[in-house]
Amino acid sequence: VSLYRGNCRPLRFEPPMLDFHEQPVGMPKMEKVYLHNPSSEETITLVSISATTSHFHASFFQNRKILPGGNTSFDVVFLARVVGNVENTLFINTSNHGVFTYQVFGIGVPNPYRLRPFIGARVPVNSSFSPIINIHNPHSEPLQVVEMYSSGGDLHLELPTGQQGGTRKLWEIPPYETKGVMRASFSSREADNHTAFIRIKTNASDNTEFIILPVEVEVTTAPGIYSSTEMLDFGTLRTQDLPKILNLHLLNSGTKDVPITSVRPTPQNEAITVHFKPVTLKASESKYTKVASISFDASKAKKASQSSGKITVKAKEKSYSKLEIPYQAEVLDGYLGFDHAATLFHIRDSAADSVERLIYLTNTFSFAVLIHDVVLPEEAKPMFKVQNFSKPVLIPPNDSRYIFTLHFMPSTSSVHIDNNILLITNASKFHLPVRAYTGFLDYFVLPPKTEERFIDFGILSATEATSILFAVINSNPIELAIKSWHIIGDGLAIELLTTEKGNRTTIIANHHELQNASASDQSS
Ligand SMILES: *[C@@H]1O[C@H](CO)[C@@H](O)[C@H](O)[C@H]1NC(C)=O
Ligand SMILES: *[C@@H]1O[C@H](CO)[C@@H](O)[C@H](O)[C@H]1NC(C)=O
Ligand SMILES: *[C@@H]1O[C@H](CO)[C@@H](O)[C@H](O)[C@H]1NC(C)=O
Ligand SMILES: *[C@@H]1O[C@H](CO)[C@@H](O)[C@H](O)[C@H]1NC(C)=O
Ligand SMILES: *[C@@H]1O[C@H](CO)[C@@H](O)[C@H](O)[C@H]1NC(C)=O
């Protein structure tokens, strides 16, 4: 094969090479390439075009023959499957001018809908691989999934709950929320490496074309341990979120029962906790069994390297290859800071004057946080109002912004409010505590007395002494100091026994110990 270089090239490419720059994973981009034949006498006949990675796809030529001075074209599609740089060489073969090469480049960036290709799944023949397709809406208006197709064959799409019809509502995703819209189900009787595609169309203006998710499944007859999922995807987590838990389901396709001896992250990862008890997987099962639950605690993910790795499963069967399932999480490090005193209100028993507080939030995340909505809980509505919120408010990283004014009108019902205002943002939902307190203390008389509100000694003989235990409770969200106590009347004394953290239930549970306690020497 002769390769033409430099000036000798009898074929000119327009553009000379193709750079797709950044494209989100799963969102195809197409470009046209022209081939010019600069020769004045020779006709060039094109035979084939091929790419060696699955990130690029080339169409066939518009015309196979390029007359002297003429041109033809072909299309190249870049469909990034992974985040990062990809490059490839296309080989263009001609009937009698040898092989030409053409360079293409691209950079895969994360998919804005948090979609990923399903690559690397391995399943035994006749068993299925059925991941849920979760779509995140990164926009400030509802996102409507308009169409979803599979490329057919062994890949089917099902509604996640198995329900029929009525996808319109199910496929509408509220702003900044994530929803499971479809289940892909792949199952084959043929041992082979299968490739299929899922095509998704939404009404968002940034994907007027399609989102295309490759599904690659290796179907095999090899006996072994298989996982129901090709990737444990913990999604996007903030450092203050509760740990996210995913279950690991396994299946044994061999003819012998196999004990599973360990399930561990490799390398070691503080953020990962595996709950696993040794279990034996029965031979030739057709259903997956839950073997372990794996939790990811974003507050313990201090380094970027902790956000991905593998879970290694060891089985007591030498002939099986070891099973490794990759995991990933996106950790958002930061919080929305605010002045805690600003959302704390004292309900005084006389003054019914309203109070207004300006609420500012500080964004410590490395990206801009957009406050899309502010939702007041029902319980707080009688006393609170959110005013002057002009949505949305954008808070740049490491900056503060005024968000809204919290208007407080104390009501005469004098009940405590301890609830949260919900902030709907592009970094999920946040709780902003809102509390109103009376500053009053409450009390009750401890068992065995049955009358809780009265300190009633009943009838005593002249020389008799008796005591009654009672508890004083501070259910305000602030500390209260009891400076002193006084008694009006003779023959009565009060002794302080103890002060402790707790509530009504813990006090009643401990009242036997209190009965035997001696007086504390504290006088305030
Ligand atoms: C390709 O050739 C046609 C005529 O054969 C010409 O009209 C057209 O402008 C050429 N296109 C390019 C991109 O050179
Ligand atoms: C290019 O095409 C010719 C003619 O069809 C063929 O003989 C040759 O093997 C091909 N070369 C490559 C590298 O595909
Ligand atoms: C898969 O299923 C088909 C039809 O149900 C059956 O004929 C075949 O033996 C099965 N293959 C295996 C490996 O279980
Ligand atoms: C997409 O559809 C939803 C639901 O019908 C609608 O609220 C939203 O405005 C639409 N978005 C666009 C960009 O048209
Ligand atoms: C499928 O691909 C894997 C890994 O790329 C390879 O080891 C295996 O032999 C392939 N199987 C078939 C049937 O081609």
Side-chain angles (χ1 to χ4, degrees):
V1 175
S2 61
L3 285 166
Y4 288 81
R5 290 177 200 285
N7 298 335
C8 315
R9 269 194 150 187
L11 255 189
R12 194 162 56 77
F13 290 84
E14 185 58 45
M17 61 179 145
L18 197 53
D19 189 349
F20 284 93
H21 303 286
E22 292 190 343
Q23 287 301 320
V25 166
M27 293 171 81
K29 174 91 188 281
M30 189 166 83
E31 296 281 4
K32 210 175 243 329
V33 178
Y34 287 92
L35 290 171
H36 298 271
N37 179 2
S39 159
S40 51
E41 56 262 8
E42 280 186 86
T43 293
I44 297 177
T45 307
L46 304 165
V47 176
S48 65
I49 183 164
S50 62
T52 53
T53 83
S54 48
H55 301 281
F56 298 102
H57 304 262
S59 75
F60 203 64
F61 312 101
Q62 185 93 45
N63 293 303
R64 279 189 57 191
K65 280 191 171 22
I66 322 178
L67 298 174
N71 67 58
T72 188
S73 67
F74 62 92
D75 296 322
V76 182
V77 173
F78 173 44
L79 177 62
R81 298 179 163 221
V82 291
V83 170
N85 286 315
V86 282
E87 60 171 279
N88 197 224
T89 304
L90 302 183
F91 291 92
I92 293 147
N93 195 4
T94 61
S95 60
N96 45 21
H97 295 85
V99 178
F100 294 86
T101 59
Y102 186 70
Q103 293 295 321
V104 283
F105 305 91
I107 303 166
V109 297
N111 183 285
Y113 302 94
R114 298 189 189 154
L115 287 163
R116 63 186 166 87
F118 299 102
I119 290 171
R122 277 187 96 223
V123 295
V125 167
N126 285 350
S127 159
S128 71
F129 169 61
S130 31
I132 292 260
I133 299 163
N134 291 302
I135 301 186
H136 174 75
N137 178 5
H139 305 291
S140 59
E141 56 184 322
L143 180 73
Q144 182 71 51
V145 175
V146 182
E147 289 173 10
M148 261 178 103
Y149 287 110
S150 81
S151 56
D154 298 317
L155 179 66
H156 305 276
L157 294 175
E158 300 160 2
L159 290 174
T161 48
Q163 82 221 69
Q164 298 292 309
T167 52
R168 207 190 143 75
K169 205 69 207 158
L170 175 74
W171 283 5
E172 187 182 312
I173 306 158
Y176 308 114
E177 290 193 13
T178 303
K179 211 170 183 185
V181 292
M182 215 60 170
R183 182 186 284 283
S185 178
F186 184 93
S187 153
S188 177
R189 292 181 195 175
E190 236 178 286
D192 200 356
N193 285 323
H194 300 262
T195 301
F197 294 91
I198 297 166
R199 192 177 76 167
I200 302 168
K201 187 166 170 55
T202 72
N203 74 339
S205 44
D206 68 347
N207 72 90
T208 46
E209 294 297 318
F210 297 102
I211 297 168
I212 294 183
L213 305 178
V215 179
E216 282 181 8
V217 186
E218 182 183 349
V219 177
T220 150
T221 50
I225 301 291
Y226 292 89
S227 159
S228 67
T229 178
E230 92 297 359
M231 157 86 83
L232 292 160
D233 189 355
F234 291 97
T236 303
L237 299 169
R238 295 165 302 179
T239 45
Q240 72 270 34
D241 285 336
L242 288 173
K244 170 101 180 246
I245 300 169
L246 294 177
N247 292 327
L248 180 66
H249 292 89
L250 302 178
L251 175 148
N252 171 15
S253 71
T255 52
K256 284 181 279 185
D257 291 0
V258 171
I260 302 295
T261 52
S262 77
V263 176
R264 284 205 193 97
T266 36
Q268 255 317 314
N269 187 346
E270 284 277 291
I272 293 269
T273 310
V274 175
H275 297 276
F276 162 74
K277 276 206 245 67
V279 57
T280 295
L281 290 179
K282 291 238 179 316
S284 315
E285 278 273 26
S286 60
K287 278 211 173 106
Y288 288 92
T289 308
K290 182 184 155 191
V291 167
S293 66
I294 294 153
S295 78
F296 189 94
D297 185 349
S299 69
K300 292 185 183 150
K302 305 280 180 228
K303 291 175 292 188
S305 62
Q306 282 174 277
S307 60
S308 64
K310 283 176 176 155
I311 300 293
T312 304
V313 177
K314 285 204 177 124
K316 214 173 188 171
E317 172 55 54
K318 289 208 178 63
S319 64
Y320 286 8
S321 54
K322 81 174 162 189
L323 178 64
E324 287 184 325
I325 305 117
Y327 67 83
Q328 67 178 23
E330 193 196 355
V331 177
L332 304 181
D333 192 5
Y335 56 89
L336 289 180
F338 63 98
D339 175 6
H340 286 252
T343 62
L344 188 59
F345 296 86
H346 188 182
I347 310 169
R348 289 177 178 82
D349 49 354
S350 57
D353 291 338
S354 62
V355 180
E356 280 183 356
R357 300 254 177 83
L358 309 189
I359 306 298
Y360 287 82
L361 292 176
T362 303
N363 172 16
T364 72
F365 290 96
S366 60
F367 55 90
V369 171
L370 188 108
I371 310 293
H372 172 66
D373 210 352
V374 175
V375 183
L376 205 56
E378 277 308 314
E379 191 204 273
K381 281 183 181 167
M383 288 198 218
F384 291 97
K385 272 202 188 79
V386 168
Q387 294 177 331
N388 285 342
F389 174 61
S390 52
K391 73 168 153 183
V393 179
L394 192 74
I395 321 173
N398 301 314
D399 212 338
S400 296
R401 283 287 180 280
Y402 163 76
I403 312 293
F404 61 89
T405 298
L406 193 56
H407 180 90
F408 173 64
M409 298 144 294
S411 82
T412 46
S413 64
S414 293
V415 283
H416 287 186
I417 288 181
D418 187 353
N419 214 308
N420 293 294
I421 294 176
L422 201 59
L423 304 173
I424 317 268
T425 81
N426 59 339
S428 193
K429 293 171 183 163
F430 287 85
H431 292 112
L432 188 69
V434 55
R435 290 172 299 182
Y437 65 95
T438 56
F440 296 155
L441 295 171
D442 198 7
Y443 72 91
F444 70 98
V445 175
L446 264 65
K449 291 284 178 193
T450 50
E451 178 51 81
E452 290 203 329
R453 304 299 297 173
F454 297 103
I455 299 176
D456 180 0
F457 292 97
I459 298 167
L460 301 178
S461 70
T463 55
E464 217 177 335
T466 187
S467 68
I468 285 179
L469 278 177
F470 70 97
V472 176
I473 305 181
N474 174 16
S475 48
N476 295 285
I478 54 160
E479 249 179 33
L480 287 183
I482 300 179
K483 297 272 172 63
S484 61
W485 45 84
H486 303 283
I487 296 153
I488 300 165
D490 292 335
L492 213 52
I494 291 187
E495 286 173 342
L496 175 69
L497 295 182
T498 178
T499 54
E500 265 164 34
K501 260 196 179 354
N503 56 27
R504 216 188 141 80
T505 318
T506 57
I507 297 165
I508 292 177
N510 291 335
H511 82 269
H512 288 294
E513 284 160 44
L514 287 170
Q515 223 97 51
N516 302 326
S518 51
S520 144
D521 45 17
Q522 272 175 264
S523 61
S524 65

